Amino acid sequence: MKHWRALIVLGTAQFLMVLDTSVMNVSISRLVDDFDTDVTAVQAVITLYALVMAAFMIIGGKCGDIFGRRRLFVAGLAVYGTGSALTAAAPTLGVLTLGWSVIEGLGAAMVLPAMAALVAESYRGPDRAVAYGVIGGLAGAGIAVGPLLGGWVTTYLTWRLVFAGEVVVVVALLGCHRMITESRRSGPRPRLDGVGATLSAAGLGLCVLGVLQSSTWGWVQPQNPPFTVLGFAPTLFVVAAGVALLSGFRAWEHRRGTRGEDPLVHLSLLGRPALRSGLLALLSQNLILLGLFFTIPLYLQVVQGFDAFQTGLRLLPVSVTMLLASAVASRVGRVAGPRRVVRAALVCLAAAIVWLLATIDPVIDDAQFAGAMALLGVGMGLLASQLGNVVQSSAGEEERSEVGGLQFTAQNLGSALGTALIGSILIGALAHAFTTQVEQVPRLSEEARRQTSIALESGINFVSTEQVHTAAEQAGLPPYQVRAVTDSYASAQLDGLKAAILATGGITLASLLVTGPLPSGRRGGPAPQTPGAAADPAGREQ
């Protein structure tokens, strides 16, 4: 039992950080009410949390090499706990953003790469596979518990209690940190590449910012941007600036490598097919999951009118089956190979998304919805059981922190893009469908169409039909036109939701294209070694 004590501490930290996002997703409506804001603002807060983690994960991994992985893990927990305390007491949305999105995000960027490296360092051979299975299972448990616990606490008490509880857990983990062991590192201590860190963080930040704001700014034709560029919306220019900075980061890292200096990350790692494929699959997994977990709660809370606890109950099937599938598939993967399991997972996800599309109606069919959620959980569980071990097994012992940084960068970049991109598609499709619906209703007067057009030009949000009904009445429209506008918006809501979910289906199918380099042999026997991968004496990939 003593051998596994460290895993309890490390796994609890993983559970805590997964719990966070799932609680926020089911609390969207309450956050909108508590802070007198809109869905788009909450979307930005959720996206920023994932973006901060994505931008600083590589830096966090490097800092683990410089200062020690256990030391960084402990320091990260302290930062994370501080952010949780501030979030619990946040009086405004700005303070919530600082506490949750920024401080907790920075803490997670310190904790997670160190955690991945410490797990890989502490366990070998079959124990390592078991350890990563436990970590994946606890992540699944966070997703399972988050919607239900967060929904219950949000509905009957307050969401703030979840973050206050996190502070207590963090204090307990800090008291147990000596259970984690770390081997002494030989050789000179590496140095942090400040220029590379700045370029990577700024590049990733601008790319996600452009995608996030696309629903407000417009992609090409300006809608409601703070400025224009040559008469065009700034979105593509912001994304292009981010890509340019990332290209500069690549060139800078190559230059440092050729000079024999410590780069922020050895980009040659991405030349390993299995590692590159695993990272892309992780990015896709989180893009799909967070895109759906942003969209589905909006359908349940805004369209169906469910509270946070009722929303959590309806998300429970995906959580339960994800946990079960992850536990079973970790054994199946040793026989069938990660490539087959990952491909089966993507097929399950695609089928679940098709099924889910069929359930998006004005009145929910609980049985059909639960079936789609259960199948979605199976697909996610199959993915979660394989990808972490594939990525870490592609690295040598000295590369654990760097690969951990890349691993969680991919995951959180996927999360940020999932919330930003799918949210942008949702709002864009909603605006287009509402415009089309209004134009096709013969009962509406030209004045009603004009007022609707003015409202759309100032920006559209995903709100309830009751709010649209009230706004139409306040605009002085006669009752029959109020009903027509409200019905048009209700129909547009469903069209927007279906477009967003359909986009996740397209990403799922496209993800099959990156699975070719994943390991295909049995893990229990000899398999081709990825360059840099460690193997136990029996020749099994670790």
Side-chain angles (χ1 to χ4, degrees):
M1 177 64 191
K2 187 176 181 180
H3 179 58
W4 297 104
R5 286 180 181 174
L7 190 62
I8 295 173
V9 178
L10 296 168
T12 303
Q14 168 76 81
F15 172 84
L16 201 62
M17 290 168 199
V18 172
L19 181 74
D20 239 16
T21 304
S22 53
V23 168
M24 278 295 184
N25 282 328
V26 298
S27 303
I28 291 173
S29 292
R30 180 58 63 86
L31 292 169
V32 168
D33 292 340
D34 285 359
F35 293 111
D36 191 24
T37 185
D38 53 46
V39 168
T40 304
V42 177
Q43 175 197 6
V45 172
I46 295 172
T47 302
L48 182 60
Y49 175 65
L51 175 58
V52 168
M53 286 195 284
F56 289 95
M57 280 294 172
I58 296 176
I59 301 169
K62 194 66 174 181
C63 287
D65 288 337
I66 297 171
F67 303 110
R69 293 159 182 172
R70 187 176 75 168
R71 183 179 297 173
L72 195 73
F73 179 81
V74 171
L77 281 177
V79 173
Y80 189 87
T82 302
S84 295
L86 185 60
T87 302
T92 65
L93 188 66
V95 176
L96 176 77
T97 303
L98 175 63
W100 189 63
S101 302
V102 178
I103 299 178
E104 283 195 48
L106 289 172
M110 297 165 70
V111 167
L112 293 174
M115 179 208 70
L118 288 167
V119 170
E121 181 179 320
S122 301
Y123 303 98
R124 298 285 188 274
D127 283 353
R128 180 178 291 168
V130 172
Y132 275 112
V134 171
I135 292 293
L138 286 169
I143 294 173
V145 172
L148 201 58
L149 174 64
W152 186 86
V153 172
T154 297
T155 301
Y156 298 108
L157 299 169
T158 170
W159 53 268
R160 298 176 188 273
L161 282 179
V162 176
F163 294 94
E166 285 187 351
V167 177
V168 176
V169 175
V170 166
V171 171
L173 290 177
L174 289 173
C176 300
H177 76 275
R178 294 189 181 278
M179 294 180 181
I180 305 169
T181 59
E182 181 182 11
S183 59
R184 291 184 177 275
R185 298 178 61 83
S186 58
R189 177 182 292 183
R191 293 184 178 183
L192 181 63
D193 173 15
V195 174
T198 302
L199 288 172
S200 66
L204 290 170
L206 286 175
C207 287
V208 177
L209 175 65
V211 175
L212 174 65
Q213 294 297 326
S214 60
S215 60
T216 303
W217 296 351
W219 281 103
V220 179
Q221 294 298 322
Q223 293 179 1
N224 193 27
F227 62 93
T228 59
V229 180
L230 302 175
F232 296 102
T235 304
L236 293 178
F237 294 92
V238 171
V239 173
V243 171
L245 287 175
L246 292 176
S247 298
F249 166 69
R250 180 180 179 181
W252 175 260
E253 295 300 290
H254 178 73
R255 179 185 177 189
R256 286 183 66 88
T258 56
R259 289 182 171 185
E261 300 173 336
D262 290 321
L264 182 65
V265 61
H266 290 84
L267 295 179
S268 58
L269 290 170
L270 299 178
R272 300 175 187 174
L275 175 59
R276 185 173 62 248
S277 180
L279 292 173
L280 288 172
L282 278 170
L283 189 149
S284 295
Q285 170 193 312
N286 279 49
L287 197 160
I288 296 162
L289 181 62
L290 268 295
L292 289 174
F293 267 54
F294 177 75
T295 304
I296 293 171
L298 288 180
Y299 169 63
L300 295 174
Q301 294 182 354
V302 179
V303 177
Q304 298 297 328
F306 296 136
D307 60 33
F309 182 56
Q310 292 170 323
T311 299
L313 283 175
R314 283 165 177 80
L315 293 176
L316 188 59
V318 68
S319 306
V320 172
T321 55
M322 181 177 178
L323 196 59
L324 294 174
S326 178
V328 172
S330 60
R331 297 182 179 182
V332 174
R334 297 173 200 166
V335 178
R339 186 196 300 170
R340 292 189 183 92
V341 176
V342 170
R343 286 178 173 174
L346 292 172
V347 170
C348 278
L349 288 178
I353 288 168
V354 172
W355 194 352
L356 181 61
L357 282 170
T359 69
I360 302 297
D361 287 319
V363 179
I364 191 171
D365 184 330
D366 281 326
Q368 293 292 327
F369 186 82
M373 290 293 95
L375 185 57
L376 181 68
V378 170
M380 284 298 169
L382 293 175
L383 281 178
S385 70
Q386 305 299 311
L387 296 179
N389 200 37
V390 165
V391 168
Q392 285 293 327
S393 294
S394 302
E397 294 304 321
E398 296 300 316
E399 301 164 335
R400 297 296 180 197
S401 290
E402 281 190 70
V403 171
L406 288 171
Q407 175 182 340
F408 287 104
T409 296
Q411 285 183 268
N412 288 288
L413 182 59
S415 298
L417 287 173
T419 307
L421 178 61
I422 302 304
S424 172
I425 291 172
L426 170 64
I427 297 299
L430 171 66
H432 180 267
F434 190 32
T435 302
T436 304
Q437 291 280 347
V438 167
E439 289 176 351
Q440 293 177 349
V441 177
R443 292 179 295 169
L444 286 179
S445 64
E446 287 302 319
E447 175 62 18
R449 290 192 175 92
R450 188 184 69 81
Q451 292 191 25
T452 303
S453 177
I454 292 172
L456 286 169
E457 286 175 3
S458 64
I460 188 169
N461 286 306
F462 199 91
V463 298
S464 67
T465 52
E466 287 78 7
Q467 289 174 275
V468 173
H469 187 277
T470 301
E473 285 183 329
Q474 292 175 346
L477 297 180
Y480 75 93
Q481 292 192 16
V482 169
R483 287 194 299 272
V485 169
T486 304
D487 291 344
S488 296
Y489 182 79
S491 178
Q493 273 186 327
L494 299 181
D495 290 343
L497 288 163
K498 289 180 178 179
I501 293 170
L502 184 61
T504 64
I507 294 166
T508 301
L509 295 178
S511 300
L512 287 167
L513 299 175
V514 307
T515 60
L518 292 174
S520 60
R522 295 164 57 116
R523 290 188 186 176
Q529 287 293 303
T530 305
D536 68 13
R540 291 173 296 201
E541 208 175 56
Q542 295 181 1

